[in-house]
Amino acid sequence: MGLFNLFKPARTVLVVDVVSLNEAAGQKGKIPPRNQLQMLRRLARFAQREKLAVVAVLTGTPLIKAPAGKKFEEITVLYSSSPDEHAKYLAKTAQSKGSGAVLVSSSAAAEKLAGNSVRKMRVSTFRKAFDTGSDDGGDDRSEGSNPRSRGSRPPRRRQQKPRNNKDNDNGRNEPKAERKPKPKSDTDAINELIDLVD
């Protein structure tokens, strides 16, 4: 993507506020671990695609599959102790990454606390690059790749109406099932040989 080429001269480290990213995706409050892991996987694919170092900052108890301070696929995962401390922790983490750090957040408090030494990017701007990537992660589709979230309906399947059920007709004239031929009698055989005139 061209958006991050302007950061390439120095070693860029994106410090991503996953709380803000989830809120921008319409997920607020206590987010289930499965959804958090899906977002981390998307961030890991993004980091690999863009060849960037990414530090994802969540809040609360660390996930078992993504422990604090460890690598999760391509990214480092950190956790603030609580939502009240999240802005301070984000700012401190961004400052610790040096001149190559870019704080990606929607938190005005975190941006203010980070100061002028840290470059900043709003989550809305970041999502323009983040959401354009192809996410064919099977089960971990997010709102960007889920057709239902964009307002379209799932494909409908037509239900077959049971055949030869007169109680279930509801007054509709539908084609009837093929009738089995009656066993031919002797008179039918004779009538086939003779041209009958009506």
Side-chain angles (χ1 to χ4, degrees):
M1 292 280 144
L3 180 63
F4 293 99
N5 286 340
L6 57 120
F7 299 128
K8 291 287 165 107
R11 176 73 176 139
T12 304
V13 179
L14 292 182
V15 178
V16 180
D17 178 5
V18 180
V19 174
S20 292
L21 193 56
N22 282 328
E23 287 175 357
Q27 300 180 25
K28 296 184 181 184
K30 187 162 174 59
I31 297 166
R34 181 173 185 256
N35 293 18
Q36 291 181 5
L37 287 171
Q38 287 175 352
M39 187 62 77
L40 291 176
R41 285 188 186 104
R42 288 188 67 210
L43 276 170
R45 287 192 297 272
F46 173 80
Q48 186 177 22
R49 184 177 73 234
E50 294 294 331
K51 297 173 180 53
L52 292 168
V54 173
V55 177
V57 183
L58 294 96
T59 189
T61 308
L63 300 169
I64 294 169
K65 292 186 178 181
K70 304 281 184 185
K71 285 274 188 188
F72 175 82
E73 296 180 13
E74 299 287 323
I75 60 177
T76 304
V77 183
L78 300 174
Y79 296 85
S80 63
S81 58
S82 69
D84 296 334
E85 297 295 317
H86 191 68
K88 286 182 198 173
Y89 190 77
L90 270 172
K92 187 175 104 178
T93 303
Q95 289 170 342
S96 72
K97 299 301 174 188
S99 63
V102 178
L103 175 62
V104 179
S105 179
S106 293
S107 169
E111 290 176 357
K112 187 175 180 182
L113 289 168
N116 293 333
S117 62
V118 176
R119 291 177 285 178
K120 297 150 191 94
M121 179 183 291
R122 286 288 168 140
V123 166
S124 57
T125 305
F126 174 72
R127 285 190 66 195
K128 290 175 185 173
F130 182 64
D131 288 343
T132 58
S134 64
D135 285 335
D136 23 48
D139 240 5
D140 25 10
R141 291 187 177 157
S142 68
E143 81 295 337
S145 61
N146 184 353
R148 287 185 189 192
S149 68
R150 286 188 235 122
S152 64
R153 290 185 176 173
R156 284 189 166 177
R157 292 184 179 169
R158 290 186 179 201
Q159 293 183 348
Q160 294 273 332
K161 185 176 176 180
R163 295 180 178 220
N164 295 333
N165 188 351
K166 292 182 181 179
D167 295 335
N168 199 14
D169 192 28
N170 294 339
R172 285 183 266 162
N173 293 330
E174 300 217 0
K176 294 183 179 180
E178 291 181 3
R179 293 184 183 168
K180 293 181 181 177
K182 295 179 183 177
K184 293 185 178 185
S185 66
D186 290 338
T187 56
D188 289 337
I190 294 171
N191 286 340
E192 284 182 9
L193 294 173
I194 302 171
D195 283 333
L196 296 176
V197 179
D198 289 336

